Amino acid sequence: MTEITAPKSPVTAEQFADEIREQLKYAQGVTVEQATAADVYVAAAKAVRNHLQDAWFTTQADTVNGNTKAVGYLSAEFLMGKQLENALLNAGLTDQFDAAVEALGFQPKDIVDAEYEPGLGNGGLGRLAACFIDSLASLGVPAFGYGIQYRYGIFKQQFDENGKQVETPDYWLSNEEPWGHIDYNRDQKVSFGGEVVEENGKKVWKPAWSVRAVPVDYLVPGYKSQRVNTLRLWTARSYDEFDLLAFNRSEYMEAVEPKVKAENISKILYPEDSTKVGKELRLEQQYFFVSASLHDAIRVFYPGQDKPDLTTFPDKITFQLNDTHPVIGIPELMRILIDEYGYDWDTAWTITQKTFNYTCHTLLPEALEVWPSSLIGELLPRHLEIIEKISDQFKAELKDKGVAENTINDMAIYTGDAVRMAYLATYGGSHVNGVAELHSQLLKDVTLKNFSDAYPDKFTNVTNGVTPRRFIKLANPALSDLITEGLGTDKWLSDLELLQGLAPLAQDDEFVKKFAAVKQANKHSFVGFAKDHYGIDIDENTMFNTMVKRLHEYKRQSLKILAVISRYAGIKNGTINADDVLPRTVFFGAKAAPGYYLAKMTIQLINNVSRVVNNDPDVKGKLAVHMLPNYNIEMAQNLIPATELDEQISQAGKEASGTGNMKFALNGALTVGTLDGANVEIRERVGAENFFLFGMNVDEVESLYATGYDPAKYYEADPRLKQAIDLVAGGTFSEGDRNAYAPLVADWLTKDWFMTLADFSSYANIQAQIEELYTHPLDWNRKAILNVANSGFFSSDRSIEDYLERIWHTGPLA
Ligand code: 4GP
């Protein structure tokens, strides 16, 4: 094993300033006098990357030469957030950077702000992948993140003058992107289409077209671990850049058609999360990155070998399938083993099944991808044959186990018309996990019940977590300092359970006051951030109440906005005494999938409630509502530390886990929430008395469905709810237009699939308890401290340790 080389640090601030100067001069081609903040950002990024380079090489060498199995995290999304501050922190260069850029005549904050946030993910699942690769590196576990370098990430969200969401492309690669190493010499060929023929008794795939997968490597530095892992994102290039003959015929568009077709594959991140629409391009993307990644792993672990012994492949690397998106990897590995390396079916199957594991991130059946077999047949004909054979083998295995015929049919991977990717993943891998206790239980009891009956040992749980480096240390430096002061050490950043040491301090009034002062200071900074970024004025002496996450009916932003409307109406008509009202500022942040009609209408409603409420002198100083545009990691890092009350109000049994809930608790917000996802575990840990619980639980939801749910009954029963819905229906938030929200209103009153109306009263009622507590700041803050102290479990380091123990069976490099 190579000796571990520490990142090339420490350097002095002067040396670091020289390194930045050198980058400016030789790489950027500008003088210090000419340099803008954007130039200095690029130069500093390259300088810090240089410091990580040796440790990256060492980690790669140890990964290949050592005896520790590596982890391959296959994910269509990695929602990384800005890189510079995180890289500086993990490389131990933050202080040098601050002093160096000041010496160059800049403010550190301006340099950090000059970075453009990459948005290569939709939401929870993509951000989780980013937290996981941070934790893997921090724990010293050899790992590769494998995904796609989309040319355009998640759309940028703006609102038009009517409050509607407008999506614009995210040109994140328009300027120099200093983090990735593009490596044209380690490319892979990925093929599509064509047909399968028999040659000498063997099946041979004759593809119709191919693209070139070129890796872009991002360094993933561990916090204080001296390890730097790799995030390898593939970009698609064409083998036929240019058709000169067509060009010479003046067919200019045709001349570049092959290039455009190939490059389209890595062009755009699909702007969908929970509702998946089958798209040919999406399947192309999935196969593209998975095929390139599997071939890459063989290249990495068996360098220069024509006939590698791939029976050892599962000992070299274990692949985690992050949701169903990479599941085509199962038939692809079978194909590689059989067609490219000549293994027999059974050997190939043993290797494949040992290699993969599957994480499910949803409970919504429609979010489990199902591909039409015609599409797979057209794009990947050899894979369809393999899938059919896997499906037959699976049926036979179930029959041997004595599973009933109709159950076997229900469990079919290949139905003739379609391929169910979640079923393929469950059968084709060693383990399946949900992402919170409740979710994993519901997977076993409901979503994948037959599978769990047939293969009980495959199923396990790993509750999600978040990285404390980004979401406490970088997002909330003031709280970080206070925690370190309270604990007398900063070791909590790599051992988050140490936060428990803060619990006794919840009884220490001096500490509680300091904690409250930190929150107030964070609110104050957010006021400035919001003014700069959104041009809005916020009163920092109001309660900051936040709901940020993707817009989806099951998450129930509707419930929150109806409660806001009801509060507004109550103050206006005097049923709520204005003098008793606790002043609140309500923040929403949410992107809706562009094709998701009701979600987009909800955004429009929130914007228009905001317009009406914020301009009404009758509620001034009592209630304000803001729909902040383009929720992203940067906004999360600024808003979460400033929040006092967090909303996790999904219908019980629908949110797989949530990770925002963890970030808020760790930053000292109290949660109002249902017994859903990881809320259940948060509440258990922080204490029921420190969590505002409301609403139906999973069993109550189920029995209400079973007995017949009639939302109109709830509308009639609670005058607050009736009034709120009537205001929406009556045009209060649409300048008198009664049709503007008619589809939303009709949905509430007749369908309300996620039972917003049924939970309204309980949600409205708990507000009094919340407000009563808020008027006793010491008591509120004691509870907030206990939330921080008891949320150490929700570190992604702990999640990774659980994966290592329960699923991957590997550990840190020696
Ligand atoms: C999300 C789930 O909705 C969320 O509950 C969970 O915390 C997160 O994954 C990470 O496990 N799902 C997605 C998706 O982002 O695209 O299905």
Side-chain angles (χ1 to χ4, degrees), residues 78-210:
F78 285 92
L79 193 48
M80 299 295 291
K82 293 188 181 192
Q83 294 303 295
L84 179 57
E85 270 190 306
N86 193 64
L88 289 165
L89 173 68
N90 288 7
L93 286 169
T94 307
D95 294 343
Q96 290 92 324
F97 166 82
D98 287 353
V101 296
E102 274 170 23
L104 294 169
F106 291 87
Q107 286 304 311
K109 186 178 173 309
D110 294 336
I111 306 306
V112 168
D113 285 351
E115 179 168 0
Y116 191 93
E117 177 177 324
L120 308 186
N122 277 293
L125 158 172
R127 182 54 232 178
L128 187 77
C131 284
F132 279 5
I133 60 172
D134 176 81
S135 284
L136 281 160
S138 297
L139 292 168
V141 178
F144 296 86
Y146 278 116
I148 299 177
Q149 196 210 41
Y150 301 100
R151 187 88 180 87
Y152 308 114
I154 175 110
F155 63 86
K156 264 202 198 148
Q157 181 194 51
Q158 294 167 343
F159 304 127
D160 71 10
E161 65 284 4
N162 299 315
K164 287 190 180 154
Q165 169 176 297
V166 179
E167 303 98 27
T168 56
D170 173 47
Y171 298 114
W172 77 286
L173 287 174
S174 293
N175 294 319
E176 184 170 358
E177 196 285 302
W179 299 104
H181 290 279
I182 186 154
D183 189 347
Y184 291 98
N185 296 322
R186 280 154 199 82
D187 57 341
Q188 296 290 345
K189 183 173 183 173
V190 181
S191 303
F192 297 92
E195 53 177 0
V196 180
V197 297
E198 290 241 0
E199 280 177 8
N200 309 323
K202 269 187 63 182
K203 301 272 192 183
V204 180
W205 179 23
K206 305 270 181 190
W209 54 284
S210 304

Side-chain angles (χ1 to χ4, degrees), residues 202-389:
K202 269 187 63 182
K203 301 272 192 183
V204 180
W205 179 23
K206 305 270 181 190
W209 54 284
S210 304
V211 298
R212 183 175 177 207
V214 178
V216 188
D217 286 345
Y218 290 83
L219 277 57
V220 185
Y223 176 71
K224 292 198 171 163
S225 71
Q226 316 289 15
R227 290 299 187 182
V228 179
N229 280 334
T230 308
L231 170 63
R232 187 156 292 157
L233 300 181
W234 300 95
T235 176
R237 297 294 155 94
S238 172
Y239 285 108
D240 317 295
E241 283 276 321
F242 192 65
D243 182 344
L244 190 58
L245 291 178
F247 188 83
N248 289 342
R249 290 193 303 270
S250 301
E251 293 165 359
Y252 303 124
M253 298 310 270
E254 288 78 357
V256 292
E257 205 178 277
K259 178 174 156 72
V260 171
K261 181 172 173 184
E263 291 181 0
N264 266 347
I265 290 185
S266 57
K267 194 68 88 191
I268 187 160
L269 169 78
Y270 267 88
E272 287 149 10
D273 56 354
S274 292
T275 47
K276 304 274 169 1
V277 182
K279 295 256 170 57
E280 185 173 333
L281 183 57
R282 196 174 165 99
L283 182 59
E284 285 174 11
Q285 289 186 331
Q286 297 181 350
Y287 180 64
F288 165 75
F289 92 88
V290 167
S291 173
S293 303
L294 290 173
H295 283 103
D296 185 68
I298 295 172
R299 176 190 69 77
V300 166
F301 285 103
Y302 304 91
Q305 299 179 31
D306 280 350
K307 290 203 175 314
D309 174 11
L310 292 176
T311 58
T312 62
F313 191 58
D315 307 323
K316 305 277 185 197
I317 186 163
T318 177
F319 276 101
Q320 194 65 27
L321 302 166
N322 196 29
D323 220 75
T324 48
H325 318 143
V327 171
I328 196 71
I330 290 172
E332 171 63 356
L333 184 56
M334 289 296 286
R335 187 195 67 78
I336 294 173
L337 292 167
I338 296 169
D339 295 4
E340 294 182 12
Y341 289 96
Y343 287 92
D344 61 69
W345 175 275
D346 290 344
T347 308
W349 182 249
T350 306
I351 298 171
T352 300
Q353 224 180 13
K354 273 204 221 160
T355 298
F356 291 106
N357 303 288
Y358 162 53
T359 305
C360 177
H361 291 271
T362 189
L363 280 161
L364 305 180
E366 68 270 24
L368 299 175
E369 284 175 306
V370 176
W371 292 108
S373 9
S374 54
L375 177 59
I376 300 190
E378 228 169 82
L379 218 52
L380 302 168
R382 178 70 179 126
H383 297 76
L384 186 61
E385 286 184 359
I386 292 172
I387 291 168
E388 281 183 53
K389 195 159 167 189

Side-chain angles (χ1 to χ4, degrees), residues 438 442 556 648-655 672-684 691-701 759:
L438 175 67
L442 290 170
R556 302 199 299 192
Q648 301 295 338
I649 60 178
S650 50
Q651 183 194 31
K654 291 297 180 296
E655 188 68 87
V672 55
T674 47
L675 276 183
D676 200 15
N679 291 356
V680 178
E681 288 158 80
I682 293 176
R683 180 169 171 269
E684 263 165 30
F691 184 106
F692 299 108
L693 179 70
F694 78 97
M696 290 180 288
N697 63 25
V698 172
D699 292 341
E700 288 162 342
V701 165
D759 270 346

